[in-house]
């Protein structure tokens, strides 16, 4: 696997796991507060979208950060997957990367993986549990970076 393929597989893995935390969450989950000064789920997803806007700006050689105010759950969820797809599309385009693969991974990608775990934990705290699963058996495919994912195999899910 090349560096680009491994990075793209990581993005597909992120998309799979993030989609699981976002899909079927009740509307009340978006603004759940785990405590004062902590981001709500919708603020986390907005931040994740900003991370991939930043990743793309780094990849094209014009790094810039934007801290977008959170809008609705549907808007931010769509914005996250759109920004993830734009970044993945750039990686496959053959255009030059102006930042090292490792730095792209250790910055925005690793941060988004951490935030996906936070969303899963917040779902449990907000009494909006989702099933766990054996992720190594998940149907993750390079390039599939939208909220539309293969449903988990029920044999490998657990409560």
């Amino acid at each position: 696997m090349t560096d680009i393929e491994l990075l793209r597989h990581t993005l597909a893995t992120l998309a799979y796991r993030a989609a699981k935390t976002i899909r079927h969450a009740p509307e009340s989950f978006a603004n759940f507060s785990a405590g004062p000064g902590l981001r709500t789920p919708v603020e986390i997803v907005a931040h994740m979208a900003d991370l991939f806007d930043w990743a793309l700006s780094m990849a094209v050689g014009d790094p810039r950060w934007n801290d977008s105010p959170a809008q609705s759950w549907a808007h931010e969820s769509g914005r996250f997957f759109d920004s993830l797809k734009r970044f993945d599309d750039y990686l496959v385009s053959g255009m030059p990367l102006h930042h090292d693969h490792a730095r792209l991974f250790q910055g925005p990608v690793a941060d988004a993986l951490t935030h996906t775990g936070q969303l899963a934990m917040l779902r449990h705290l907000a009494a909006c549990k989702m099933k766990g699963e054996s992720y190594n058996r998940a149907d993750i495919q390079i390039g599939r970076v939208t909220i539309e994912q293969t449903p988990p195999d029920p044999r490998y899910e657990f409560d």
Side-chain angles (χ1 to χ4, degrees), residues 80-134:
F80 164 66
F81 286 103
D82 288 346
S83 66
L84 187 61
K85 176 137 181 37
R86 282 192 309 276
F87 181 57
D88 186 65
D89 287 347
Y90 188 83
L91 292 176
V92 78
S93 74
M95 298 293 291
L97 280 183
H98 295 277
H99 264 74
D100 179 78
H101 303 93
R103 292 206 178 267
L104 289 166
F105 176 83
Q106 76 187 38
V109 177
D111 198 19
L113 288 165
T114 298
H115 292 308
T116 300
Q118 290 172 331
L119 289 171
M121 183 181 66
L122 288 171
R123 285 212 39 178
H124 287 266
L125 289 173
C128 308
K129 281 182 73 172
M130 52 181 238
K131 287 188 173 191
E133 71 178 276
S134 178

Side-chain angles (χ1 to χ4, degrees), residues 3 12 27 36 39 54 57 60 62 65 73 88 98 100 114 121 143 150 154 159:
D3 288 344
E27 189 63 35
R39 286 184 178 141
W54 178 48
S57 74
V60 302
D62 183 24
W65 175 256
W73 182 250
D88 186 65
H98 295 277
D100 179 78
T114 298
M121 183 181 66
T150 302
D159 290 322

